[in-house]
Amino acid sequence: MGPRNHLLPGLQYEPPRLPHPRGARESPRSRLRVRAIPKYNNLAPAERDRWKQYLAQRFEKPKSDVAPADWERANGWKIPSLVWTSLDAGLRPVEVEWATASWIDTDNEVLRIPKEDSSKNRDHWVVGLSSRTADALSKWLDERDAYPAYDDTDAVWLTRKSNRYQTSSLRYLLQRLCEIADIDTTHRSMSWYAIRHSVGTYMTREEDLAAAQAQLRHKSSETTMKYDQAPVEDRQDALDRMG
């Protein structure tokens, strides 16, 4: 979906890569990418058994055959699913905070946000997702079940400290992702709303205001009008085609 490229050039987050070969020099970027599921040696026996069950299903092998090497090759899906969902749906920070597993319909590739959970509390919303995002969410929900922190909550995403994401933690995450992508943010105001603004602008350019209004869950089309910022070159091309 277009907004991934339009948000900030180079910000196309991918699941963590495999660790560098033993003894190879590892950059901070690599360390961040490989920080995926908990390390084998950091888990208590009961936790380890729970993760073995998940990895056995994921890699389609008997639980008894799951080995420490499987922990090393298992990337995590929390951050990709969070970022890609926000890039598709233009999630507000409060929507990331309130998001529950019941919103997610991966079979139909949509988010179903009930009126009572809507940040504006006005309507039920059905928000389209790309196939890649729906697949990432499906994989994250499977992985999520292996974390004890999610046993007593329906939150889709929690921070490493088991808190719901809020504006400050999302800003920190975005800054770290920009570092990974080597994006210079020196003169940019970085916030999670930058993603939402990008979705609105790109959806308006690629489709129309009505599509952007529905995707961003705006009650009034006037709110969506601020995203109708077609570059002068695009308008000139339109005039040439009309002429």
Side-chain angles (χ1 to χ4, degrees):
M1 187 175 178
R4 290 192 181 86
N5 293 326
H6 185 69
L7 168 63
L8 288 170
L11 182 51
Q12 298 186 34
Y13 187 82
E14 296 180 356
R17 296 180 177 179
L18 295 176
H20 283 203
R22 186 178 299 277
R25 185 175 181 181
E26 195 175 64
S27 67
R29 179 194 302 184
S30 298
R31 287 196 296 272
L32 183 61
R33 277 185 169 171
V34 301
R35 186 184 297 154
I37 69 171
K39 293 184 178 180
Y40 178 87
N41 291 329
N42 291 344
L43 295 171
E47 294 174 315
R48 193 175 295 163
D49 185 74
R50 186 168 176 170
W51 278 98
K52 286 183 70 174
Q53 181 176 346
Y54 162 71
L55 292 172
Q57 294 175 344
R58 175 168 173 172
F59 295 132
E60 299 180 341
K61 60 195 305 184
K63 182 179 176 181
S64 58
D65 290 346
V66 175
D70 292 309
W71 266 263
E72 294 297 323
R73 69 188 183 103
N75 59 280
W77 285 101
K78 183 181 80 171
I79 300 303
S81 67
L82 169 55
V83 172
W84 291 346
T85 302
S86 296
L87 285 169
D88 282 2
L91 293 182
R92 302 175 177 92
V94 70
E95 290 173 327
V96 175
E97 179 184 358
W98 291 353
T100 67
S102 63
W103 290 13
I104 301 171
D105 180 352
T106 55
D107 290 338
N108 293 294
E109 300 183 350
V110 296
L111 294 181
R112 301 185 186 277
I113 306 176
K115 178 180 179 179
E116 55 270 22
D117 289 344
S118 172
S119 63
K120 302 299 183 180
N121 199 29
R122 292 174 178 169
D123 292 296
H124 301 283
W125 296 102
V126 178
V127 185
L129 301 172
S130 67
S131 296
R132 182 174 74 165
T133 297
D135 182 61
L137 280 168
S138 178
K139 291 176 178 176
W140 165 238
L141 291 178
D142 289 340
E143 179 187 336
R144 175 182 174 278
D145 288 340
Y147 289 93
Y150 291 91
D151 286 348
D152 298 319
T153 181
D154 58 357
V156 180
W157 303 285
L158 296 175
T159 68
R160 295 179 65 196
K161 295 183 178 180
S162 300
N163 298 318
R164 288 177 181 258
Y165 279 93
Q166 296 184 333
T167 299
S168 58
S169 50
L170 288 170
R171 183 187 303 113
Y172 174 77
L173 173 60
L174 183 57
Q175 290 171 341
R176 295 302 301 272
L177 292 175
C178 287
E179 291 175 8
I180 292 172
D182 291 328
I183 297 172
D184 184 5
T185 61
T186 304
H187 301 294
R188 299 187 184 189
S189 177
M190 300 304 299
S191 74
W192 209 252
Y193 266 98
I195 295 178
R196 181 173 174 81
H197 184 83
S198 174
V199 174
T201 300
Y202 204 90
M203 181 67 75
T204 301
R205 287 183 58 187
E206 294 298 304
E207 296 295 332
D208 53 32
L209 281 172
Q213 180 181 351
Q215 191 72 359
L216 294 180
R217 303 165 299 288
H218 287 156
K219 184 69 173 179
S220 170
S221 59
E222 293 181 1
T223 305
T224 317
M225 285 292 292
K226 65 183 178 181
Y227 298 108
D228 189 11
Q229 301 172 353
V232 64
E233 293 83 1
D234 289 1
R235 286 178 270 138
Q236 289 169 337
D237 289 343
L239 290 171
D240 289 339
R241 291 193 298 272
M242 291 168 61

